[in-house]
Amino acid sequence: MEENSNSMDLLNLQEFDEEALKKESEELLEMRFLNGENAVFSRTAGGFLALKTTGMGEKLSKEYARVGVYLTFPLTNPEEFISIREADEKAKEIGIIEKLSQLPEEQQEMLREQIKLRYFMPVITKVLDVKDEYGYAYWNVVTTFGACRFTTQMSGDAVIHLSDSRLLVTDIDGNRYEIPDFYQLGVMERKKLDLFI
C-alpha cells in the first residue's frame, strides 16, 4: 500500500512539473513589446540598467533591479527589435523594444550606453601588417581605439563579408573588429588582406 502511495506522489509531482514546464514554455513563446507607455528604464547606482514594467498581461507591474540589452540584428539594424532580458544565467526575455525611438530620449541614451558596452567593436582604420604562420594570421592594425595586435585563424569564418566592401574580423578570443569599407584602405593594405578576400 505504501509503495502504491509513493507511486501516486511521484505521478502527481510529474504532472505538476509538466504543468509548470508548459506554463514556462507559453511565457517564452509570448512576445511582449516594450515602449514608453509600459516600460521605464533607469540607471542603477552601479551603472547598470533597471526596468519597471506596467500593464503587460498577467504581470501588471514588475520591477527588475538589473536587465540585459541584446540586439536582434546587431550589424544591420541596431536601433530596432532590441531584446530586454533578465540579468541572470538564464537571460529570460522580458520583452522587445520594436524601435528605440519609441522611448523617451534619456532612456534611449541609457540603452545605447549598454549596447556599446555589450557590442564593443573597434573599427580598423589602418592595416600595418598581417602575417600567416601555422594556420593563424597575426594582425597589427590601428583602430578607432588605438594600435592593436590580435590573432585569427586562417580557416573558417575569421573574416566575414557583410557587404561587397564591409568586413567583420573575429579574433581567436571572440573579439570583433570592423572594416567599414575595404576599398578605402590603401593599395598595400588591401594587398595584405588578399589572404582573406
Side-chain angles (χ1 to χ4, degrees):
M1 185 75 172
E2 188 178 326
E3 188 177 315
N4 194 16
S5 174
N6 287 340
S7 296
M8 291 298 284
D9 288 343
L10 184 61
L11 185 61
N12 288 338
L13 182 62
Q14 286 174 338
E15 286 177 17
F16 174 77
D17 288 343
E18 190 176 324
E19 282 300 313
L21 186 61
K22 184 178 176 184
K23 184 177 179 186
E24 188 176 338
S25 296
E26 287 172 1
E27 283 180 12
L28 287 172
L29 293 172
E30 181 185 345
M31 188 174 286
R32 298 177 198 93
F33 286 100
L34 301 171
N35 55 48
E37 294 175 10
N38 64 7
V40 177
F41 292 91
S42 59
R43 200 176 275 116
T44 69
F48 298 110
L49 199 63
L51 169 65
K52 182 176 182 181
T53 60
T54 57
M56 290 180 56
E58 292 177 19
K59 301 173 185 174
L60 295 178
S61 181
K62 189 161 183 182
E63 292 190 32
Y64 300 88
R66 183 176 174 191
V67 294
V69 181
Y70 297 83
L71 297 178
T72 308
F73 305 104
L75 299 172
T76 57
N77 215 351
E79 297 266 318
E80 295 183 11
F81 299 103
I82 300 164
S83 175
I84 305 300
R85 302 180 193 173
E86 293 180 9
D88 59 15
E89 63 279 350
K90 288 185 179 179
K92 183 179 171 186
E93 188 170 79
I94 298 164
I96 298 257
I97 298 170
E98 194 172 3
K99 292 185 179 182
L100 200 54
S101 59
Q102 293 174 333
L103 296 174
E105 189 66 39
E106 184 182 335
Q107 292 182 45
Q108 290 180 40
E109 287 311 310
M110 287 181 216
L111 286 159
R112 285 188 186 103
E113 283 175 16
Q114 295 298 313
I115 289 166
K116 282 180 186 173
L117 288 172
R118 181 172 301 280
Y119 295 93
F120 178 70
M121 186 167 50
V123 172
I124 295 174
T125 56
K126 188 166 187 61
V127 178
L128 302 173
D129 196 20
V130 181
K131 289 184 181 172
D132 169 24
E133 290 181 18
Y134 307 109
Y136 292 95
Y138 299 90
W139 298 65
N140 183 6
V141 300
V142 177
T143 73
T144 48
F145 291 90
C148 181
R149 292 176 186 262
F150 59 89
T151 305
T152 62
Q153 292 186 340
M154 288 299 297
S155 60
D157 52 359
V159 178
I160 297 172
H161 292 263
L162 299 175
S163 70
D164 289 342
S165 60
R166 187 177 175 203
L167 303 174
L168 176 69
V169 182
T170 307
D171 71 14
I172 58 173
D173 295 319
N175 300 310
R176 293 170 300 217
Y177 304 86
E178 180 185 2
I179 299 175
D181 190 346
F182 172 76
Y183 298 106
Q184 290 296 313
L185 297 173
V187 174
M188 293 306 291
E189 293 175 277
R190 292 197 309 261
K191 199 167 185 73
K192 291 171 186 168
L193 295 179
D194 278 347
L195 297 165
F196 304 100
I197 308 305

